[in-house]
């Protein structure tokens, strides 16, 4: 997975490659999909949701530019796989999921794997996590119609927000960097995500 799907396609941050080689992705997918866990595609995780394709996890993580000292917010805990990668690469991860059953499952596996630098919340992550803001990195793992201003406002100076936005069935991944009073937006790649459902996302499933 790391050599063929990530390094060969341009993922070059050694810390990201190392984390993705280390975290056992098969433990984050349902039993009937474990044999497919390292394939080049997203997989169902129940509740109509998915664990993202390994390459997309790597691109999004690399875009955050983590060095190890950061406080990071993840919107869309899902299986907990992306949260584990973030926990490997930063100081503290705050992760929000709107479906309680997914939070329970991810909290269990992440606890069993020994990750202790994570806080979980069940709720609408399109509003961010105001009490813990500002964040050095924010990663949204569901597709939004537009970039929520609430999330931009919870970025620390120099912080990066990585988010897929655009129409419901196909989006563009953006990296937004806060510099002074400005937000600098860069296009990263095309992508397809399940919808961000919430006050500052899509209004229904
Ligand atoms: N990061 C996940 C992983 O590693 O498995 C993949 C997440 S999946 C592509 C997107 C997740 O976002 C789903 O679990 C979905 O329930 C969640 N989601 C959608 N809207 C949300 C919202 N407003 N707040 C929090 N989570 C949300």
């Amino acid at each position: 997975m790391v050599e063929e799907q990530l390094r060969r396609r341009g993922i070059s941050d050694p810390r990201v490659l190392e984390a993705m080689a280390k975290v056992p992705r098969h433990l984050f997918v349902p039993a009937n999909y474990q044999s497919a866990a390292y394939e080049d595609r997203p997989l169902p995780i129940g509740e109509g949701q998915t664990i993202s394709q390994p390459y997309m996890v790597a691109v999004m993580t690399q875009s955050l530019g983590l060095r190890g000292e950061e406080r990071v917010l993840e919107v869309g805990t899902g299986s907990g796989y992306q949260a584990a990668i973030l926990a490997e690469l930063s100081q503290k991860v705050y992760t929000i999921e709107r479906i309680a059953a997914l939070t329970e499952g991810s909290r269990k596996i992440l606890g069993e794997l020994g990750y202790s630098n994570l806080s979980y919340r069940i709720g609408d992550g399109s509003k961010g996590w105001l009490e813990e803001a500002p964040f050095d990195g924010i990663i949204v793992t569901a597709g939004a119609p537009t970039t929520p201003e609430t999330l931009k406002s919870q970025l620390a100076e120099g912080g990066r927000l990585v988010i897929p936005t655009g129409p419901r069935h196909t989006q563009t991944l953006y990296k937004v960097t806060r510099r002074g009073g400005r937000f600098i937006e860069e296009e990263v790649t095309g992508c397809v995500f399940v919808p961000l459902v919430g006050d500052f996302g899509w209004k229904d499933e």
Side-chain angles (χ1 to χ4, degrees):
M1 178 187 91
V2 168
E3 287 309 317
E4 288 172 22
Q5 298 173 37
L6 309 186
R7 207 189 295 272
R8 198 172 290 178
R9 285 192 193 135
I11 302 299
S12 57
D13 183 332
R15 297 181 74 244
V16 173
L17 293 167
E18 205 177 303
M20 294 209 45
K22 178 178 173 190
V23 174
R25 183 172 161 94
H26 61 282
L27 299 182
F28 292 86
V29 303
N32 53 327
Y33 281 104
Q34 285 204 344
S35 61
Y38 297 91
E39 290 179 5
D40 188 18
R41 59 182 173 119
L43 294 171
I45 55 169
E47 309 287 337
Q49 306 303 323
T50 53
I51 176 174
S52 302
Q53 174 198 25
Y55 176 68
M56 191 50 60
V57 173
V59 168
M60 294 178 87
T61 309
Q62 181 165 274
S63 299
L64 287 174
L66 301 174
R67 290 290 159 258
E69 300 304 317
E70 297 84 357
R71 298 170 71 255
V72 179
L73 172 68
E74 179 192 29
V75 178
T77 315
S79 69
Y81 177 69
Q82 173 77 72
I85 301 291
L86 298 172
E88 289 284 341
L89 297 172
S90 63
Q91 187 191 102
K92 172 88 193 195
V93 179
Y94 298 85
T95 183
I96 311 181
E97 168 59 55
R98 62 185 281 272
I99 301 174
L102 294 177
T103 298
E104 282 159 25
S106 61
R107 192 199 285 260
K108 182 167 182 292
I109 176 68
L110 288 161
E112 284 168 7
L113 288 172
Y115 291 104
S116 56
N117 57 339
L118 288 140
S119 289
Y120 305 83
R121 179 181 259 189
I122 299 165
D124 177 8
S126 74
K127 296 191 269 199
W129 191 325
L130 192 56
E131 299 84 344
E132 297 295 346
F135 299 98
D136 306 300
I138 302 179
I139 178 170
V140 182
T141 65
T146 56
T147 306
E149 292 296 323
T150 43
L151 295 182
K152 286 161 75 171
S153 72
Q154 290 180 27
L155 273 181
E157 170 61 21
R160 286 81 62 197
L161 162 65
V162 179
I163 181 167
T165 63
R168 196 154 178 133
H169 298 290
T170 164
Q171 304 91 28
T172 303
L173 185 68
Y174 289 96
K175 172 181 169 179
V176 182
T177 306
R178 183 172 199 159
R179 283 235 182 283
R182 296 177 56 223
F183 292 95
I184 300 153
E185 195 170 286
E186 295 164 68
E187 219 177 284
V188 180
T189 184
C191 54
V192 177
F193 276 85
V194 294
L196 180 77
V197 179
D199 283 2
F200 302 104
W202 298 94
K203 297 295 176 242
D204 56 43
E205 297 193 49

